[in-house]
């Protein structure tokens, strides 16, 4: 597993340098590749895998390697290899994005077969110096350890952290303590294995008249709080491969036929919670029936709901401590979005 993780880091570094990771780009830049591998690994052990740090002293112009004349950054030799010293900002801020993706599979009878939530906490750090950050979540294990039992808590599984997080501290008292990388990074990811009610419920009736036409009726209902709004909703409805002459009628948004994917895509820019919308589609079918047996692809849904998490996870606090004593502002944003979101049909 560790070697696989190292391989992923190598691929990320090469992509940062060459934009496209292909055989041709590696051949064109083999000198840079050799130099990077020399820094990425030492005596067979992973060393510096942060592309931002590597770019401080290994720069590239086309296929030419330049080693900067400045001394090797202290980040390569100190314990905080993911952050340079001497960073300064006029205004000190940290932006926290809590993003949850919902995976749902609903069978043709309307029962939820499987569901879970995959979460990610991303940072955009604009802080001077070497700040120490402590992040507090409504973590059920933490609340149990400290004897608190107030409000909603969540049970996180498969938790993975950025290398900056002190794992020993988290394992002992569930404190998420770290010196953050500068700029954008993913601090942690997690999974919550729970029954999720589909936030956008789809009902469909698909009637196929042999050698004549197919008629589709799709109803979409927002099963989330009325004060929330789903943005850029896409309902993708499969149609027969030999369908033609499409006609649509929608109560909101617009529908279009995508023949190369055998889909109707119904787009709703803004979908308030508790609302219901309807889409009807009519297609002609050829007089000669297609002999090929077609599968039954599911209806899929894409969406994004800001200011909302389905799990109820909350950032309780973000403490920022730096020796110079400056004041810094943390900003938190919550987003719920569709992951693998499928609803099977009878037809």
């Amino acid at each position: 597993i560790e070697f696989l993780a190292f391989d992923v880091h190598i691929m990320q570094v090469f992509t940062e340098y060459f934009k496209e990771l292909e055989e041709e780009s590696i051949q064109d830049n083999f000198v840079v590749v050799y130099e990077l591998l020399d820094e990425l690994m030492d005596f067979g052990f992973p060393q510096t895998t942060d592309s931002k740090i590597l770019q401080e002293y290994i720069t590239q112009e086309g296929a030419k390697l330049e080693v900067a004349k400045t001394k090797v950054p202290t980040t390569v030799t100190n314990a905080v290899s993911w952050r340079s010293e001497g960073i300064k900002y006029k205004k000190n801020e940290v932006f926290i994005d809590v993003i949850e993706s919902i995976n749902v599979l609903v069978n043709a009878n309307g029962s939820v077969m499987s569901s879970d939530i995959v979460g990610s906490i991303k940072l955009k750090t604009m802080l001077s110096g070497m700040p120490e950050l402590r992040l507090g979540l409504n973590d059920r294990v933490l609340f149990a350890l400290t004897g608190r039992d107030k409000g909603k808590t969540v049970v996180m599984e498969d938790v993975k952290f950025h290398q900056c997080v002190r794992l020993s501290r988290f394992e002992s008292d569930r404190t998420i303590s770290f010196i953050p990388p500068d700029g954008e990074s993913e601090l942690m990811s997690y999974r919550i294995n729970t029954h999720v009610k589909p936030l956008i419920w789809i009902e469909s009736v698909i009637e196929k008249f042999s050698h004549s036409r197919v008629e589709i009726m799709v109803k979409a209902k927002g099963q989330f709080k009325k004060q929330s709004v789903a943005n850029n909703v896409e309902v993708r409805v499969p149609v027969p491969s030999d369908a033609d002459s499409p006609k649509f009628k929608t109560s909101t948004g617009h529908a279009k036929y995508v023949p190369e994917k055998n889909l109707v895509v119904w787009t709703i820019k803004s979908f308030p919670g508790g609302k219901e919308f309807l889409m009807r589609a009519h297609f002609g079918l050829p007089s000669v029936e297609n002999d090929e047996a077609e599968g039954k692809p599911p209806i899929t849904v894409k969406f994004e709901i800001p200011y909302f998490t389905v799990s109820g996870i909350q950032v309780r606090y973000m403490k920022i401590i730096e020796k110079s004593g400056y004041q810094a502002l943390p900003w938190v944003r919550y987003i719920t979005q569709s992951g693998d979101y499928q609803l099977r049909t009878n037809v």
Side-chain angles (χ1 to χ4, degrees):
I1 293 170
E2 289 180 4
F3 281 113
L4 283 172
F6 183 54
D7 287 345
V8 170
H9 280 297
I10 291 175
M11 289 168 68
Q12 288 172 344
V13 169
F14 286 173
T15 305
E16 286 280 336
Y17 269 82
F18 314 136
K19 305 304 179 193
E20 297 291 336
L21 185 55
E22 297 174 354
E23 183 181 349
E24 187 178 344
S25 61
I26 291 173
Q27 288 174 344
D28 290 344
N29 297 281
F30 71 93
V31 177
V32 182
V33 170
Y34 278 122
E35 190 69 22
L36 285 170
L37 288 172
D38 192 44
E39 296 298 335
L40 286 161
M41 192 163 52
D42 198 14
F43 296 105
F45 292 98
Q47 189 171 277
T48 306
T49 57
D50 192 310
S51 60
K52 288 181 183 176
I53 303 302
L54 289 163
Q55 284 170 358
E56 287 187 32
Y57 63 103
I58 297 179
T59 58
Q60 174 203 11
E61 284 184 13
K64 179 184 174 185
L65 172 71
E66 286 188 4
V67 179
K69 292 178 182 177
T70 55
K71 64 179 181 179
V72 174
T74 52
T75 48
V76 176
T77 54
N78 72 10
V80 190
S81 63
W82 54 87
R83 185 180 179 90
S84 302
E85 292 182 1
I87 296 171
K88 289 183 181 178
Y89 285 98
K90 286 184 178 179
K91 189 177 182 181
N92 291 288
E93 296 176 301
V94 57
F95 298 87
I96 308 159
D97 279 352
V98 181
I99 302 167
E100 291 192 337
S101 298
I102 301 176
N103 300 319
V104 173
L105 175 61
V106 179
N107 70 11
N109 298 322
S111 300
V112 176
M113 301 294 290
S114 64
S115 64
D116 69 355
I117 301 164
V118 177
S120 172
I121 297 181
K122 297 184 177 181
L123 301 180
K124 184 177 181 182
T125 309
M126 302 166 70
L127 298 171
S128 305
M130 280 285 180
E132 171 85 23
L133 274 59
R134 286 177 200 158
L135 176 68
L137 304 172
N138 56 334
D139 173 10
R140 188 172 300 174
V141 178
L142 171 64
F143 277 39
L145 282 171
T146 54
R148 282 178 292 181
D149 190 21
K150 294 179 182 178
K152 184 176 175 66
T153 57
V154 295
V155 178
M156 297 181 292
E157 299 177 34
D158 300 337
V159 180
K160 296 181 179 68
F161 288 112
H162 186 279
Q163 61 177 328
C164 67
V165 175
R166 294 181 177 88
L167 291 179
S168 57
R169 181 82 189 270
F170 179 77
E171 287 165 1
S172 65
D173 62 10
R174 304 290 282 192
T175 299
I176 303 171
S177 174
F178 58 98
I179 296 172
D182 187 43
E184 295 181 1
S185 62
E186 182 180 54
L187 178 68
M188 63 180 286
S189 63
Y190 59 89
R191 185 176 62 85
I192 296 176
N193 190 13
T194 184
H195 179 80
V196 180
K197 181 174 75 172
L199 296 180
I200 294 181
W201 183 255
I202 302 293
E203 292 179 17
S204 64
V205 177
I206 303 172
E207 290 187 282
K208 200 171 181 181
F209 300 88
S210 184
H211 311 307
S212 171
R213 69 190 188 279
V214 60
E215 292 183 359
I216 300 167
M217 189 276 290
V218 177
K219 183 168 74 174
K221 182 180 180 181
Q223 297 193 136
F224 49 93
K225 294 177 182 177
K226 290 182 179 179
Q227 59 265 39
S228 295
V229 176
N231 296 327
N232 304 315
V233 177
E234 277 190 8
V235 181
R236 297 174 170 239
V237 184
V239 298
S241 60
D242 52 357
D244 59 20
S245 310
K247 293 176 185 175
F248 304 110
K249 191 174 182 180
T250 61
S251 61
T252 191
H254 68 276
K256 68 175 181 179
Y257 178 40
V258 186
E260 64 271 20
K261 294 184 178 178
N262 301 322
L263 286 175
V264 171
V265 180
W266 179 20
T267 305
I268 303 168
K269 195 171 183 181
S270 181
F271 196 136
K275 294 287 186 180
E276 282 187 12
F277 299 113
L278 201 65
M279 185 273 289
R280 295 181 184 273
H282 177 286
F283 285 88
L285 290 175
S287 56
V288 180
E289 193 161 331
N290 188 350
D291 290 333
E292 292 180 20
E294 294 189 355
K296 297 178 183 177
I299 293 173
T300 59
V301 186
K302 287 177 65 179
F303 60 85
E304 186 175 279
I305 307 174
Y307 318 115
F308 170 78
T309 58
V310 72
S311 72
I313 194 169
Q314 290 179 343
V315 174
R316 293 173 48 246
Y317 63 82
M318 170 68 90
K319 293 179 181 175
I320 303 164
I321 305 154
E322 214 278 331
K323 61 183 180 183
S324 64
Y326 62 69
Q327 295 295 309
L329 294 171
W331 303 92
V332 184
R333 181 172 62 168
Y334 299 96
I335 300 169
T336 291
Q337 61 190 20
S338 55
D340 188 9
Y341 198 103
Q342 300 185 8
L343 302 99
R344 291 177 178 164
T345 60
N346 278 312
V347 179

